Amino acid sequence: LPQLVESGGGSVQAGGSLRLSCVVSWYDIGSVCMAWFRQAPGKERDGVALARIYTGGGITDYADSVKGRFTISIDDKKNTLFLHMDSLKTEDTGTYYCAAHGGGCYTMQAAPFGYWGQGTQVTVSS
């Protein structure tokens, strides 16, 4: 079965940094759209960043709330997706999920993403 396994969450103070990892165990990460989502208690799951590798390049996109602070990247040799988070704010608190789908990589809506990890908790305190 497809597996996405996240790690790297934790508790940090505002202004700190964390790096999340998501290891993909069944598929060539270079051929699918990958994304990070987050869900705060009582709120919907929102897209944070997405990325896809194409021959000769790739694409990335970010939610406005994280632009300039978060960086998504793919290491296709390790079949791993990363999310480097800097200048963390209390509103970044939530459970972070990585997700994948084989279609076009043009939206951070959750619906097209058919494969999900179990989530990793990020807590940012003031």
Side-chain angles (χ1 to χ4, degrees), residues 27-91:
Y27 211 86
D28 177 5
I29 198 173
S31 62
V32 295
C33 180
M34 300 295 302
W36 287 99
F37 289 79
R38 70 184 177 194
Q39 188 166 22
K43 295 189 177 181
E44 294 185 351
R45 191 172 297 188
D46 293 326
V48 173
L50 62 77
R52 182 163 186 167
I53 296 175
Y54 293 100
T55 301
I59 62 167
T60 58
D61 197 12
Y62 299 90
D64 289 342
S65 60
V66 306
K67 282 181 180 177
R69 301 188 297 120
F70 290 12
T71 303
I72 188 172
S73 62
I74 295 174
D75 185 333
D76 57 342
K77 293 179 176 60
K78 296 181 178 179
N79 234 40
T80 300
L81 177 73
F82 297 100
L83 184 68
H84 191 95
M85 306 183 292
D86 290 323
S87 302
L88 282 161
K89 304 177 180 180
T90 55
E91 52 262 45

